[in-house]
Amino acid sequence: MFKIPFLDLPPLRSAAGTVRLPGSKSISNRVLLLAALSEGQTVVRDLLASDDTAVMLESLRTLGCGVWRDGDAVVIDGLGSRLRAKQAKLFLGNAGTAMRPLTAALAVLAATQGGEFEVSGVPRMHERPIGDLVDALRGLGCAIDDLGNPGYPPLRLRGPSALALDAPVRVRGDVSSQFLTALLLALPLVAGFEAPNPPEGVPPARGGPAPGRDIRIEVIGELISKPYIEITLALLARFGIAVKREGWSAFVIPAGSRYVSPGEVFVEGDASSASYFVGLGAIAAVDAPIRIEGVGSESLQGDVRFAEAAAAMGAVVQTGPNWLEVRRGAWPLKGITLDCNHIPDAAMTLTVMALYADGPTTLTNIASWRVKETDRIAAMATELRKLGASVDEGPDWIRVQPLRDWRAASIHTYDDHRVAMCFSLAAFNGLVTDAAVPVRIQEPHCVAKTFPDYFETLFGVVTARAEDIPVITIDGPTASGKGTLADEVGKALGFGVLDSGALYRVTGLAARRAGLDLDDGPAVAALVPTLELRFSGGQVFLGPEDVSARLRAEATGLLASQVAVHPEVRQALHQLQLDFRRLPGLVADGRDMGTAIFPDAALKVFLTASAATRAERRYKQLISKGNSTTIEGLREDLEARDERDKNRSASPLAPAQDAQLLDNSALSIEASVEQVLNWWQKRRPF
Ligand code: C5P
C-alpha cells in the first residue's frame, strides 16, 4: 500500500448515511489466541483486518498453528494447549493486545512443556510497561529474561520450570487491565489435567494424569478499564472456561478447565471505532442520522457506552441490538465532566467534540492514556492547542475549552490510529465559525491499526461544499506526460484523478461505433447522456465492456480531438467532469481544466515538452506495448492534434492566466511531481 505523508481534510459541513464497522480489535485478537489455544478448528468471521491482527496471525503461524482463509473467514487450527514449536522469535509491532496475552501464554507453556520464546515490538512497544505482568508470571514460577529495560519488552520466556499454582497469582490492575486479561487467557492452560508427556526436567505425574486444580488470580489495587475484563470473561465462556469471580478483586479458573473451540465465532464491530461516527452524528447529522452497524445494546464491548457520553453532550442516540443511530440534538454541544475509566479508548473522541461545546469538558480517571500507543493525554493536548484550543492536563485528566477561533493545523499523529481518527472531527469547524479551515492529518495510514479504510468510510457519509474541495489542474498538449504526472500527484496527496481526455476519447469511440458523423456536434453531444460510463480502479467501462485499452490507442485520440472541437460536446461533458470533485480532493488533467472546468482551482499547472520529446516518449510507450509506429509519423500526428486543440474556437488549448508553466522536456517524472507538490505546499495554510 502506498503511504501518503499527510491527508488534508477540507472543511466538512454535514453527515448522513450508514457505516458498517470493522471488527473489534480487542475481540479479534482475543478470539485468535483462544482459537489457537483450543483443540480443533475455529472459523472466525468478521475478523478485523488490520496491523494488530496481522501480527497476531503471523505469530500464531510461527507457533505452528494452522491459519488459512476460507472466503471472508479465517480458520484457525488450534494447538490444543500443546506447543508445536519450542523456539520462536515473535515480532508484535505495537499491538498491546498481542504482546500481553502471548507473553503470558508462552511463559506458562514454556514452563510446563519447555521452550524458549522471544517477544519484541516497535520502539514504542518497548516503552509500554509490562512489568506488572512479568512480576505476576515470575511469582508463579515462570522464567522470564528482560532483554531490554526491566519491566518492558523485549522479553525472553524460558522453560521448563516448576509452577507454583497452589498459591494465588497476584497481579496489579491499576496500570493496564491487559495484564489481568493476559493471565485469564493463559492460566486455563494449566488448570486442566497435568501434561501426559512432560518434557525433560519436569517429573512425570505419578499414577497417570493428575486432575488439575483451581487457579486463583487476585488483583492488587483498583482495577481499571473493567469493561475489557468483561470481554475477556465473555469470550473465555465461549471457549469453555467458566471463570468464577469475586467482584473485581479475585477470579478463579476452575480445576479441569480446558479450552474447547465453539466451532464458529462472529466478531462484533469495533465499539471504539464507532465513537468517531457517534461524534460525527452529534456534530453534523442534522437532516438525517448516522447509522452505525456492528455494535449496539447487545455488544460485549464496554466502549458502546460512549454513546451515553455523547448523549450527555447533546447527541440524540437510538440503539438496537447491533446498531446505533445518532443525530445532532443540542447545538452547540454541552460541555461535560466525566469519569472515563470505563471507556478509556473511545473517550479520546470527546476531547475533539469538546471544541464544539458551550463550556469546558473535563475527562477524569484516564491515567491509562499515558501508556497507550503514545502518551495520549500529552498528544491530544498538544494537537488540540495547534488548532487554537485552550487545554489543561494533569496526570490523569484533561480539560478542553470550546473553540471558536480556529487555526488551520497540521496534526501530528504519533503513530496512534485514534489520534488520527479523532482529529478528523475537527474538520467540521465551519459549523461554528465563518472562517472555516482545513485540517491536515499527518501519517494517516496509522489508522490501519484498527480501521484501515477509515477515511474512505468517513468520506462516504460526509459532505463538503464543492468550492472547499481542492482541485489541482494539469493542462497541456498531447503526450506531455499530464496523465502520469496527475496520477503521481494524486497518489501523493490521496486525491482522486480525472483524466478528462478519456471522456473525449470514449465519446469519440462511441460516436464512431454508433456510425455518427463526427462533424455533427449536436448529434455527438446527444449521445453523451446515453453512455453507460463507469470508472473503476483506473479502468474505464462502457456498458459491460472494459474499453481502457481501446481508449489509449492513437486512433481513438484522433477521434477525441475531432469531437472535442464542438461546443455542444464540451457542454455535454461539463457536469460529468465537475462530478469528479470529491473528497478529499482532485487532480484533473486535460486541455481546459484550469480555464473552463475548474477556473477556481487552487493550483493550475500548464505542462509542456518539446514536440520532439513528446514524440519520442509516445514512441517508446507504443513500442513497449508491441505496436509498430515511427517517430516521424507520431510527431506529425501530435503536431496536427496540437494545432486542432489550439485553434478551435471552443476552449482552445492555452495556459490559464494564473497557471504555473512547467516544461518537463529535461525533467524526470519524480522531479516534475516534486515541483508540483512544492507549488501545492506553498498554497496550503499549514
Ligand atoms: O489527453 P488526451 O490525449 O487523452 O485527449 C485526447 C483529446 O481529447 C485531445 O487531443 C483533445 O482534443 C481532447 N481533450 C479536450 N479537452 C480535455 C481533454 C481532452 O479537448 N480536457
Side-chain angles (χ1 to χ4, degrees):
M1 193 183 73
F2 181 78
K3 293 181 175 174
I4 57 174
F6 55 81
L7 176 65
D8 289 350
L9 303 174
L12 303 175
R13 306 282 171 173
S14 69
T18 300
V19 293
R20 171 121 210 115
L21 295 171
S24 151
K25 175 183 68 157
S26 311
I27 295 181
S28 292
N29 265 355
R30 283 172 175 79
V31 164
L32 289 179
L33 184 64
L34 288 165
L37 299 177
S38 297
E39 201 87 54
Q41 280 184 7
T42 308
V43 179
V44 186
R45 301 198 185 275
D46 300 334
L47 184 75
L48 170 66
S50 76
D51 294 350
D52 279 16
T53 50
V55 295
M56 181 61 110
L57 285 166
E58 194 47 43
S59 302
L60 298 182
R61 272 194 202 101
T62 308
L63 292 171
C65 276
V67 176
W68 66 90
R69 297 206 163 266
D70 181 8
D72 288 343
V74 172
V75 184
I76 307 286
D77 191 10
L79 300 173
S81 312
R82 315 272 325 144
L83 277 174
R84 281 183 205 156
K86 291 288 173 78
Q87 265 187 341
K89 289 187 179 176
L90 304 180
F91 176 77
L92 302 173
N94 198 7
T97 55
M99 174 62 79
R100 281 70 179 259
L102 275 170
T103 294
L106 290 173
V108 164
L109 289 172
T112 52
Q113 297 173 39
E116 191 170 304
F117 302 94
E118 284 180 24
V119 288
S120 66
V122 296
R124 171 65 188 165
M125 179 55 100
H126 297 173
E127 294 168 8
R128 297 176 67 183
I130 196 168
D132 295 333
L133 176 62
V134 170
D135 288 347
L137 290 166
R138 283 187 181 138
L140 184 64
C142 296
I144 302 179
D145 304 325
D146 296 305
L147 301 179
N149 288 334
Y152 298 86
L155 301 169
R156 184 189 298 117
L157 319 162
R158 280 184 291 111
S161 60
L163 295 185
L165 291 164
D166 294 328
V169 182
R170 295 165 61 82
V171 65
R172 272 182 60 177
D174 53 356
V175 174
S176 167
S177 67
Q178 285 185 17
F179 304 150
L180 175 57
T181 282
L183 291 173
L184 285 166
L185 295 177
L187 292 176
L189 293 169
V190 287
F193 296 93
E194 304 277 357
N197 300 307
E200 245 174 86
V202 175
R206 262 174 289 155
R213 76 283 274 168
D214 281 1
I215 298 180
R216 185 179 166 85
I217 306 170
E218 290 179 359
V219 180
I220 312 167
E222 169 74 10
L223 180 65
I224 62 164
S225 313
K226 297 184 178 86
Y228 285 109
I229 301 302
E230 300 274 20
I231 295 178
T232 304
L233 296 176
L235 292 177
L236 279 165
R238 293 226 52 201
F239 282 82
I241 313 292
V243 177
K244 289 183 274 185
R245 55 191 279 194
E246 295 162 22
W248 294 105
S249 58
F251 300 83
V252 176
I253 298 163
S257 289
R258 201 169 61 86
Y259 277 127
V260 183
S261 167
E264 186 179 41
V265 180
F266 286 85
V267 176
E268 60 185 62
D270 193 289
S272 314
S273 299
S275 71
Y276 314 110
F277 295 96
V278 173
L280 180 65
I283 293 166
V286 178
D287 300 324
I290 283 283
R291 184 180 168 90
I292 303 159
E293 294 185 344
V295 298
S297 53
E298 287 179 9
S299 294
L300 293 177
Q301 302 160 77
D303 267 0
V304 289
R305 291 192 56 201
F306 176 81
E308 295 165 20
M313 291 189 79
V316 177
V317 183
Q318 280 194 305
T319 317
N322 67 343
W323 56 264
L324 302 169
E325 277 188 8
V326 187
R327 57 166 77 221
R328 188 198 272 181
W331 190 256
L333 297 175
K334 290 182 266 187
I336 56 171
T337 296
L338 189 69
D339 179 329
C340 290
N341 198 264
H342 62 300
I343 48 170
D345 286 352
M348 289 169 77
T349 310
L350 297 172
T351 63
V352 183
M353 292 169 69
L355 302 174
Y356 301 99
D358 58 358
T361 291
T362 308
L363 309 183
T364 62
N365 207 357
I366 52 169
S368 68
W369 284 25
R370 297 214 182 262
V371 294
K372 298 276 178 156
E373 279 79 345
T374 184
D375 176 341
R376 285 176 166 170
I377 295 181
M380 294 310 285
T382 306
E383 303 309 310
L384 287 164
R385 285 183 193 123
K386 281 190 194 163
L387 293 167
S390 163
V391 183
D392 298 305
E393 57 172 303
D396 64 348
W397 59 269
I398 188 166
R399 180 177 301 118
V400 182
Q401 303 290 339
L403 182 56
R404 295 295 174 263
D405 202 4
W406 293 66
R407 290 201 291 260
S410 179
I411 303 299
H412 187 67
T413 49
Y414 307 85
D415 200 18
D416 185 339
H417 52 139
R418 299 206 184 284
V419 175
M421 294 190 277
C422 278
F423 274 93
S424 65
L425 296 181
F428 287 93
N429 57 78
L431 300 180
V432 286
T433 169
D434 290 335
V437 292
V439 178
R440 171 168 290 182
I441 308 288
Q442 296 174 22
E443 315 275 339
H445 45 83
C446 66
V447 301
K449 191 166 204 285
T450 49
F451 203 151
D453 56 358
Y454 173 73
F455 289 105
E456 291 79 354
T457 306
L458 178 73
F459 295 149
V461 291
V462 299
T463 61
R465 291 183 187 152
E467 66 266 28
D468 285 338
I469 299 179
V471 178
I472 299 174
T473 60
I474 302 179
D475 288 309
T478 296
S480 54
K482 302 182 301 294
T484 311
L485 181 60
D487 284 346
E488 292 299 317
V489 171
K491 214 157 78 168
L493 297 173
F495 284 10
V497 175
L498 164 61
D499 167 11
S500 60
L503 296 177
Y504 288 94
R505 286 168 182 259
V506 83
T507 304
L509 182 70
R512 168 54 48 88
R513 284 181 175 178
L516 297 181
D517 173 3
L518 300 191
D519 291 331
D520 183 349
V524 177
L527 183 69
V528 169
T530 68
L531 298 179
E532 287 177 24
L533 279 181
R534 197 160 53 82
F535 299 83
S536 163
Q539 311 293 91
V540 185
F541 292 83
L542 183 56
E545 183 189 348
D546 180 351
V547 290
S548 319
R550 281 304 298 275
L551 293 190
R552 280 192 291 268
E554 279 305 285
T556 317
L558 284 170
L559 296 179
S561 77
Q562 272 177 277
V563 299
V565 298
H566 305 301
E568 299 86 354
V569 172
R570 306 198 75 82
Q571 188 51 39
L573 289 173
H574 197 108
Q575 185 60 43
L576 209 56
Q577 297 173 76
L578 294 183
D579 291 345
F580 277 79
R581 191 170 195 166
R582 290 194 288 255
L583 288 167
L586 177 67
V587 185
D589 83 72
R591 303 293 185 288
D592 60 347
M593 296 296 101
T595 48
I597 308 296
F598 301 110
D600 67 333
L603 172 62
K604 299 176 185 176
V605 177
F606 194 83
L607 193 64
T608 53
S610 67
T613 312
R614 290 187 284 134
E616 203 176 310
R617 286 181 191 157
R618 181 61 49 101
Y619 178 76
K620 282 191 192 144
Q621 209 177 32
L622 290 172
I623 291 295
S624 73
K625 288 190 187 128
N627 301 336
S628 73
T629 180
T630 64
I631 294 202
E632 296 71 37
L634 278 170
R635 182 166 170 168
E636 276 168 32
D637 279 356
L638 292 181
E639 287 178 335
R641 267 216 268 164
D642 287 355
E643 280 311 300
R644 186 158 32 209
D645 289 348
K646 274 193 262 186
N647 295 320
R648 68 189 176 207
S649 57
S651 294
L653 171 66
Q657 270 188 341
D658 48 350
Q660 297 277 355
L661 302 184
L662 180 59
D663 184 331
N664 71 0
S665 305
L667 291 182
S668 66
I669 294 172
E670 294 74 26
S672 305
V673 172
E674 203 177 300
Q675 175 62 71
V676 174
L677 292 176
N678 280 339
W679 281 328
W680 180 240
Q681 181 52 34
K682 289 212 181 79
R683 283 164 172 72
R684 302 264 73 197
F686 308 110

